[in-house]
């Protein structure tokens, strides 16, 4: 995605290769692999000329927003003269949707810690010392010397724009989902077929938009392109602002999705201990929102 973002922004495989310090051939192979993964053409190719398709432009716009937010947050919180540098790696959607809006709180409480946020889909290799903490998605293996602290279970709920919820005679029951376009987050632990099975409804899960990052599905739903199935934890801003609504309520199946991962040998390092304490408090503050009481 980083290569694609550079190609889309610069309008050239060659310029993207120069910026990223890789070969133009490597860029071409990466883009071919991305198109294969997405199952859709994102470029028009004619000789040496390359142009984004409509789908490619839409995809680039969504990715660019997230990358710019991450770069801006990292730049704003990179300051000289602080006593500690804390490098946090996170999966992209949680970094963009949940962690970044809360970074200012950590900086205010601990002004001597320079918090630097890095985001990608691959887990960080903590043993190299480049990253202090990794926030990962999914079930984590039991590795010697690695501590894993799961986040609280996250309700998975149906979400859409207010206008879409009002269309097609409303969205009040699970069976109504069949009336709306589906938006798929293909790497999620809980997907539309799981939801359909749990709710006893029939859905054509072969249809709809497909993304490999939750933040893209969330933005697509907010733009009225369909209904998505996402963690309540990731959409607090959108629900508060009214960009999204949860037409079937905010109490869905609860899954352990994210985990805080770090080296056991460094657990008492002050900057790591303080971040662990801070993120536990932040999650507890959100508990009333992301874990609604069941009747």
């Amino acid at each position: 995605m980083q290569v694609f973002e550079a190609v889309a922004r610069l309008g050239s495989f060659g310029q993207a290769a120069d910026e990223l310090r890789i070969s133009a051939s490597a860029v071409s192979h990466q883009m071919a692999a991305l198109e294969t993964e997405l199952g859709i053409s994102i470029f028009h190719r004619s000789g040496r000329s390359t142009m984004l398709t409509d789908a490619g432009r839409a995809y680039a716009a969504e990715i660019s927003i997230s990358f710019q937010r991450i770069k801006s947050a990292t730049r704003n919180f990179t300051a000289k003269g602080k006593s500690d540098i804390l490098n946090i790696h996170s999966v992209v959607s949680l970094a963009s949707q949940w962690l970044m809006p809360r970074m200012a709180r950590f900086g205010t409480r601990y002004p001597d810690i320079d918090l630097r946020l890095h985001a990608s889909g691959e887990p960080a290799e903590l043993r190299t010392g480049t990253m202090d903490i990794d926030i990962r998605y999914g079930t984590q293996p039991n590795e010697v010397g690695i501590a894993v602290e799961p986040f609280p279970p996250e309700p998975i709920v149906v979400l859409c724009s207010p206008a879409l919820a009002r269309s097609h005679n409303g969205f009040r029951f699970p069976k109504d989902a069949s009336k709306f376009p589906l938006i798929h987050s293909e790497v999620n632990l809980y997907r539309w077929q799981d939801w359909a099975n749990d709710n006893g409804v029939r859905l054509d899960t072969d249809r709809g938009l497909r993304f490999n990052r939750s933040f893209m599905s969330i933005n697509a739903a907010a733009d009225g392109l369909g209904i998505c199935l996402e963690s309540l934890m990731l959409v607090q801003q959108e629900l508060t602002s009214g960009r999204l609504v949860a037409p079937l309520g905010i109490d869905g199946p609860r899954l352990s999705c994210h985990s805080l991962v770090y080296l056991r040998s460094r657990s008492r390092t002050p900057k790591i201990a303080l971040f662990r304490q801070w993120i536990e408090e932040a999650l507890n503050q959100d508990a009333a929102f992301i874990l609604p009481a069941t009747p």
Side-chain angles (χ1 to χ4, degrees):
M1 286 195 296
Q2 184 179 15
V3 175
F4 174 65
E5 187 276 335
V7 171
R9 173 168 43 82
L10 298 171
S12 164
F13 279 25
Q15 290 184 45
D18 290 342
E19 178 177 290
L20 299 172
R21 298 183 180 180
I22 59 177
S23 68
S25 176
V27 171
S28 181
H29 285 303
Q30 288 279 342
M31 294 303 92
L34 180 60
E35 286 184 316
T36 299
E37 181 178 346
L38 295 174
I40 191 171
S41 295
I42 52 178
F43 294 106
H44 292 299
R45 295 175 175 83
S46 178
R48 299 176 63 88
S49 175
T50 302
M51 182 182 300
L52 288 170
T53 64
D54 289 342
R57 279 195 297 272
Y59 190 47
E62 296 291 350
I63 288 176
S64 177
I65 292 170
S66 188
F67 269 95
Q68 289 302 319
R69 289 177 66 187
I70 291 171
K71 289 177 182 178
S72 175
T74 302
R75 184 169 56 248
N76 291 341
F77 284 88
T78 300
K80 295 181 179 179
K82 295 193 175 183
S83 59
D84 277 312
I85 297 174
L86 180 61
N87 284 292
I88 304 295
H89 179 272
S90 172
V91 287
V92 177
S93 293
L94 185 123
S96 175
Q97 294 291 127
W98 189 85
L99 186 53
M100 284 174 50
R102 291 161 175 78
M103 286 177 65
R105 303 179 194 174
F106 184 87
T108 299
R109 181 181 295 188
Y110 304 111
D112 290 333
I113 298 179
D114 181 4
L115 180 60
R116 300 184 181 183
L117 176 60
H118 311 258
S120 73
E122 297 299 321
E125 177 46 71
L126 296 168
R127 290 184 174 87
T128 65
T130 305
M131 295 295 153
D132 298 299
I133 288 176
D134 196 8
I135 301 176
R136 299 178 183 176
Y137 182 81
T139 303
Q140 300 305 312
N142 185 12
E143 299 181 55
V144 175
I146 299 292
V148 178
E149 296 181 3
F151 282 22
E154 303 167 26
I156 310 300
V157 298
V158 177
L159 300 150
C160 63
S161 69
L164 195 65
R166 293 190 296 267
S167 66
H168 303 291
N169 296 318
F171 193 165
R172 292 172 293 175
F173 307 102
K175 65 180 182 180
D176 294 332
S178 62
K179 300 185 296 187
F180 299 88
L182 301 180
I183 299 173
H184 302 265
S185 292
E186 300 215 289
V187 297
N188 281 6
L189 298 175
Y190 188 82
R191 306 182 191 180
W192 277 116
Q193 189 59 59
D194 301 308
W195 183 88
N197 293 340
D198 288 346
N199 286 276
V201 299
R202 290 181 176 271
L203 288 180
D204 181 3
T205 55
D206 290 331
R207 64 186 174 91
L209 297 172
R210 298 180 183 274
F211 300 100
N212 64 350
R213 293 291 182 270
S214 287
F215 78 86
M216 292 188 285
S217 295
I218 291 167
N219 277 290
D223 288 339
L225 301 182
I227 59 176
C228 70
L229 190 63
E230 293 293 343
S231 165
L232 191 62
M233 179 179 177
L234 299 183
V235 295
Q236 296 182 45
Q237 293 185 103
E238 286 78 9
L239 288 175
T240 300
S241 68
R243 291 185 70 216
L244 285 177
V245 295
L248 301 179
I250 60 173
D251 191 14
R254 301 177 184 184
L255 274 68
S256 294
C257 298
H258 296 91
S259 299
L260 196 71
V261 183
Y262 55 90
L263 292 177
R264 292 187 185 277
S265 61
R266 303 191 63 208
S267 62
R268 295 186 179 181
T269 303
K271 62 182 180 181
I272 294 177
L274 290 173
F275 185 81
R276 288 170 56 206
Q277 177 184 344
W278 173 81
I279 202 166
E280 181 180 358
E281 292 175 2
L283 290 169
N284 287 337
Q285 289 172 1
D286 289 348
F289 190 95
I290 68 171
L291 292 175
T294 53

